[in-house]
Amino acid sequence: MLPLHRLLFGVVHKIVLPLKQKRTEANYLDLTLMELLLSKIQINLPALILSHIHGLCVFDKKERGLEYGFWLGMVFEHFGVPVREWQIQTIKDVLRVVDHETIPSTKRRANAPTQQLRASLIAKNEEITALQGSHSTVIDKLHIDYGLEHARLAEEISRLKEELAQTQAALNTERLSNSNGLKHLYELLTKDSPSSSSTFPPSV
């Protein structure tokens, strides 16, 4: 490794992607950062730091020491994260006590786009919850109204069927009575027809 490359590797290894453990071989990320430094291409250092810390927290099983103390010390103190001075701390010592959901926003970043998006998301979630509650109430009311209307219609249909049956029975009774009356009248007319024909003379 050339002296310039060795110097760049030291910058990457000790400043950009620091670890307490020594490394003598450069990996793909180290080589990429060295190439960016040589090419004078701007590096998104905050995103790189967060990605490096996240990788150590999630994928590193050796509980290596967390560097960036000279950069992140004031940040931890601001959010009340206990930092023991002059002692090597692991990732878990520092980050396991932080509740990322309850970290307060500073006044300087109160109107940041991220905060605005988070507030908008919370408002939308509350609106969705309210709409779901209102929708559930309306559905329950519709079910109750439908049940009452269905019961009323069933009772009305039963009453109409009963009235129809009574009407049909009355019609049958009346039809039978009329039939008997007509039959009796016919018998009377048939019985009296010879005598009536002999009483009156035939017409000319």
Side-chain angles (χ1 to χ4, degrees), residues 8 13 25 30 33 36 43 52 59-61 75 82 88 94 102 108 120 133-134 145 151 160 193 196:
L8 292 175
H13 173 55
E25 295 182 359
D30 296 333
L33 292 174
L36 293 176
I43 300 173
H52 183 53
F59 302 107
D60 191 2
K61 305 300 182 182
V75 177
I88 297 177
V94 176
T102 59
R108 184 169 58 88
S120 176
S134 176
D145 293 342
L160 291 175
S193 59
S196 60

Side-chain angles (χ1 to χ4, degrees), residues 25-74:
E25 295 182 359
N27 55 26
Y28 180 77
L29 182 57
D30 296 333
L31 295 176
T32 302
L33 292 174
M34 291 166 61
E35 178 64 25
L36 293 176
L37 291 174
L38 280 174
S39 304
K40 297 182 180 180
I41 298 176
Q42 186 176 0
I43 300 173
N44 189 350
L45 189 58
L48 191 62
I49 291 174
L50 293 177
S51 177
H52 183 53
I53 294 176
H54 179 266
L56 291 178
C57 294
V58 176
F59 302 107
D60 191 2
K61 305 300 182 182
K62 298 181 181 180
E63 297 188 359
R64 299 181 180 180
L66 176 65
E67 292 286 349
Y68 300 120
F70 54 101
W71 285 345
L72 301 180
M74 295 181 63

Side-chain angles (χ1 to χ4, degrees), residues 72-87:
L72 301 180
M74 295 181 63
V75 177
F76 291 148
E77 290 177 0
H78 175 75
F79 290 112
V81 179
V83 178
R84 293 172 292 183
E85 296 182 358
W86 311 111
Q87 295 184 22

Side-chain angles (χ1 to χ4, degrees), residues 6-22:
R6 193 174 302 168
L7 175 62
L8 292 175
F9 176 69
V11 171
V12 172
H13 173 55
K14 296 179 180 179
I15 299 177
V16 182
L17 299 176
L19 288 174
K20 284 294 183 182
Q21 291 72 18
K22 292 184 179 180

Side-chain angles (χ1 to χ4, degrees), residues 105-166:
S105 60
T106 60
K107 293 182 179 179
R108 184 169 58 88
R109 292 186 175 271
N111 296 323
T114 304
Q115 299 295 332
Q116 294 177 358
L117 289 175
R118 182 174 299 175
S120 176
L121 179 61
I122 293 174
K124 292 297 182 183
N125 288 334
E126 292 177 352
E127 184 178 355
I128 290 173
T129 303
L131 288 176
Q132 288 177 345
S134 176
H135 177 72
S136 177
T137 303
V138 172
I139 291 297
D140 292 340
K141 186 176 183 302
L142 287 176
H143 280 303
I144 294 173
D145 293 342
Y146 172 78
L148 294 176
E149 185 67 16
H150 184 270
R152 187 187 67 80
L153 290 176
E155 184 179 356
E156 183 71 16
I157 291 172
S158 177
R159 185 182 64 81
L160 291 175
K161 285 182 178 180
E162 185 177 355
E163 290 181 358
L164 180 61
Q166 292 176 358

